[in-house]
Every structure is written in structure tokens, then in C-alpha cells.
Amino acid sequence: MPETPPPPSSDPPQGPPGPPYADPSDPNATITPGDGGAMTLATSDAATLENGPLPGGTGSGKARSLWSDAWHDLRRNPVFLVSALVIVFLLLIAIWPGLIASGNPLSCDLARAQDGPAPGHPFGFDTQGCDVYTRTVHGARASITVGVCATAGAALLGSVLGGLAGFYGGWWDALLSRLADIFFGIPIILGGLVFLSVVPSGSVWPVVGFIVLLGWPQISRIARGAVVGARQHDYVQAARALGAGDARLLLRHIAPNAVAPVIVVATIALGTYIALEATLSFVGVGLRPPTVSWGIDISNASIQIRNAPHMLLWPAGALSVTVLAFIMLGDAVRDALDPKLR
């Protein structure tokens, strides 16, 4: 008579402790990785390929937006860091010139006219006996104010007009394009001589208005091209098919993806506008006394360059450093925001 096998024991099998493995047929089961490195790696790679990296993960596959990617590049660009530090310093002395210059730029002593550097006056004196150092520091306010306000006005006006032209097209696009061509044909210095001679106030705002009037067509063309390219994308067509209106398409879908080239052009143009203000002040149609400006000081010093070159050196040097800093900043931003240049 065959022997009956003993009943199975209810005690768990003895052996070395290890990770529990789930039933492969159970769709809700998870595999707890143990010593099997290959299984762990394969499971992690499959999950990453199928579902993307886990939230908050630090893997190399983590996607970044255009702006975060640009900021990642800018932080490692020495050109951007140096130019940004220079611009921050210039903005500080433009807002609070008393931080490094406690004197009055309009306080002059004719007895010290054209004198060279002296204790407490490191840059010397101009033809009126005014402290060149104090005037150079205080001159940053007018020049940077003109550059920043003119850039903001031209960027806003050009972006709105160019964006509408690129979005709607048709007769609106043709009208704005021809209007921009008219302004492109006006020589900027000749236009400044005519326009600012009609408005002879000599303050900051007429100069800002003139620069905005002749500066918006350039940004308008950039904005129009960016909007024309962005509106062809699939996500815009999908949003339109879902019932999104024109305002929502422009503000939520097209503008965030078309603003990068406008920022690049505006940043570079800011330095150009500061130099333009100095040029107009130099020829006598821009800012005028008692406004303190680098262009005015350069104009006054040009006739005495042989007798007192220090009068020209310091305001011209400050103007050159400021323009160069903004142009370098614009170049760095352009390289970061344009993937084709990487």
C-alpha cells in the first residue's frame, strides 16, 4: 500500500530573509527592489520612459521651460554676470546718487575752472568750476531714465501693434507695415533735430517721446514675425478648436511664446537709446541745462579737450561703460533665449 505524503506544513519556509516578491499576474502588485540591481534599474528606466521622471526628481530627464533653461545658462555666463553687476550699480547711483557723491552738481566755483584733480575732487573741475565727479555720478539719472523709459515705451507700443498685425493679418497688417516703413525712412538724427526743435523744453520726456516715436517700428517687425510663427503651432490651433477667443489666444498661448525675441531686441536697444540721448544733447537739441546729463558735459568739454582733457574723459567713459554693459547684457540674453545659437 503506497505511503500517503505528509500534509504541507503551515509554517513559512526557513531561509535567509529577503524582499517579498509580488505575483506577476497581479496588476496592482509592486516589486520591492532588493539585491537585484538589474531588476531595479530596468524597472526605473521603464517607468521613466513611460511616465517621465517622478515629481520633484533630480534626474537628468527632467524637462525645463525656455525661461528656466535660459536662466540656467545665464547664471553660468560670465559676460551676463559682469554686465548685470555693472547695470545694478548704475541703477543704484541713478536712483540714489548721494550714496557715492554727496555734493551738489550745480554748485560751482569759477575760481577753480578747469582745475585738475584735487583732494576731495578726484575728477577735477569743468569750465564753470563744477565738480566733474559729482556731475558724472548725477548724470547717470537722466541718461538711464531716458534709456529705460524709451525702451519700455517702444517695446510696449511695438509689441501691441506688431502682435495685432501678425495675428489678424489682412489690411491691418498691410497698413501697419507701410506705416513702419515710413518711420524707418526718417534719419534719426535729422528727425531729432526737427522734432526736438519744435518742442524746446529740454527735459527728459520730449526726448523719450521722440525715441519711442522712431523706435517702435523695429520692435514691431520683430513682434509681428514672432506672432506669425507662433500662431501656426498645433497648440494654438487646438485652443481655437476648443473655442478660445482671440484675446485668450493672444494673451495665454501666443504672447508667452513670442515675447522672447522682443526682450532680446529691447535689451540691446536700451544701450543704443542711451547713446542716442547723449548724441542729441551733444548737438544741443536733447537735454539742456540745468539738467545734468553726460551728453551735456561731453558737449561742454569738447571745446576744451586740449586744455582740460579730464573734463571729457570721465563723462565719456561713464557713457561708454553704460552702453557697453547693456549691449553685452542683450547679447547674453539673446544667446540664452535663442536655442539655435547654443
Side-chain angles (χ1 to χ4, degrees), residues 249-323:
L249 287 175
L250 275 171
L251 298 178
R252 295 292 300 274
H253 299 284
I254 294 179
N257 296 281
V259 72
V262 175
I263 293 176
V264 172
V265 173
T267 307
I268 298 176
L270 200 155
T272 306
Y273 293 159
I274 292 176
L276 176 60
E277 176 275 320
T279 303
L280 295 174
S281 299
F282 179 84
V283 299
V285 296
L287 303 180
R288 299 173 188 174
T291 304
V292 180
S293 167
W294 292 331
I296 295 175
D297 290 347
I298 293 173
S299 178
N300 294 334
S302 61
I303 58 177
Q304 299 291 339
I305 187 173
R306 293 185 178 181
N307 300 328
H310 64 274
M311 294 170 47
L312 179 64
L313 174 64
W314 298 109
L319 175 64
S320 301
V321 170
T322 302
V323 174

Side-chain angles (χ1 to χ4, degrees), residues 142 146 189 192-197 199-208 210-211 276-291 293 295-296 299:
V146 169
I189 300 299
L193 290 172
V194 174
F195 179 85
L196 295 175
S197 297
V199 189
S201 65
S203 63
V204 169
W205 303 115
V207 179
V208 171
F210 164 73
I211 296 177
L276 176 60
E277 176 275 320
T279 303
L280 295 174
S281 299
F282 179 84
V283 299
V285 296
L287 303 180
R288 299 173 188 174
T291 304
S293 167
I296 295 175
S299 178

Side-chain angles (χ1 to χ4, degrees), residues 13 24 43 57 59 69 136 153 189 191 231-232 311 318 324 338:
T43 305
D69 194 29
T136 301
I189 300 299
R231 74 176 183 179
Q232 306 298 329
M311 294 170 47
L324 180 62
D338 192 348

Side-chain angles (χ1 to χ4, degrees), residues 176-235:
L176 288 179
S177 298
R178 301 294 77 75
L179 184 62
D181 291 340
I182 293 174
F183 283 97
F184 268 121
I186 301 176
I188 194 162
I189 300 299
L190 179 60
L193 290 172
V194 174
F195 179 85
L196 295 175
S197 297
V198 177
V199 189
S201 65
S203 63
V204 169
W205 303 115
V207 179
V208 171
F210 164 73
I211 296 177
V212 170
L213 183 64
L214 292 187
W216 72 266
Q218 179 187 13
I219 297 181
S220 175
R221 285 192 170 183
I222 300 297
R224 176 190 176 277
V227 170
V228 169
R231 74 176 183 179
Q232 306 298 329
H233 291 166
D234 293 339
Y235 60 85

Side-chain angles (χ1 to χ4, degrees), residues 8-27:
S9 174
S10 59
D11 296 335
Q14 301 296 324
Y21 290 94
D23 184 1
S25 63
D26 185 1

